[in-house]
Amino acid sequence: ENSTANGTTYGKLYNGYAIMDPRGLAPYGWHIPSNDEWTTLQNELGGNTVAGGKMKATTLWLAPNTGATNSSGFTALPGGARGSGGMFFGPILNAAYWWSSADVGATSIWQRQVQSDWGGLTSYLNTNIRHGFSVRCIKDVATTNNTVTDIDGNHYNLVTIGNQIWTQSNLNVSRYRNGDPIPQATLSEWSTLT
């Protein structure tokens, strides 16, 4: 469901057009991780069959929440996803999906996924950029700060995993870095967003 309460807890869901928009979703000094950066995280956490469990929070997931220890501090929450027509698919407490970065004009974008019934981290090349997934950010350069603030004033705690610094929660920003609003859509409007 498209509600403010869900956004506060799980972050917003963004389509592929928002990921590629040159105005940028991530705060200055941050970016949406590339597929290679997601792979580095996955390898740092022991590989695809166990990384998801080390990333998942131990609460707010449907049972059995297989392998969940959050030993990495990533605190993955099951924000669910939106289909290309705007419908939310799967229970919100069942899975987390994240976009990788993509070049403007891409017709497919890598995604990552963790589920309540598996402790792994799955990757897919998604050919439907109208889907709505969560977004995490990764720091461009090292920092001594413990938080980052987006253009809307939302604060995100940070977690260092290996040599990467990630936001510890999904983005909940409603404006691009330049201040332009990110379109919000009802079910009937979702499929027309670009």
Side-chain angles (χ1 to χ4, degrees), residues 22-43:
R23 293 172 288 183
L25 286 177
Y28 285 106
W30 292 78
H31 63 274
I32 298 168
S34 67
N35 187 53
D36 287 344
E37 288 170 320
W38 277 108
T39 299
T40 297
L41 172 67
Q42 173 182 296
N43 292 339

Side-chain angles (χ1 to χ4, degrees), residues 48-138:
N48 71 308
T49 60
V50 296
K54 294 177 180 180
M55 295 167 63
K56 290 191 292 184
T58 57
T59 61
L60 299 178
W61 285 84
L62 290 177
N65 200 13
T66 303
T69 65
N70 196 30
S71 62
S72 68
F74 191 87
T75 316
L77 294 177
R82 261 187 128 155
S84 60
M87 294 291 292
F88 293 92
F89 58 86
I92 192 170
L93 305 177
N94 187 52
Y97 304 80
W98 299 279
W99 287 114
S100 294
S101 60
D103 293 328
V104 173
T107 58
S108 57
I109 305 173
W110 283 97
Q111 72 175 71
R112 289 295 201 262
Q113 174 183 341
V114 294
Q115 296 176 199
S116 63
D117 62 352
W118 192 55
L121 176 64
T122 308
S123 63
Y124 296 100
L125 185 59
N126 189 314
T127 58
N128 194 332
I129 61 175
R130 291 192 185 281
H131 282 158
F133 299 140
S134 298
V135 171
R136 286 290 179 110
C137 297
I138 191 168

Side-chain angles (χ1 to χ4, degrees), residues 13 15 82-86 130 132 185-193:
L13 302 176
N15 69 19
R82 261 187 128 155
S84 60
R130 291 192 185 281
T186 64
L187 176 62
S188 62
E189 298 167 329
W190 183 265
S191 65
T192 63
L193 288 178

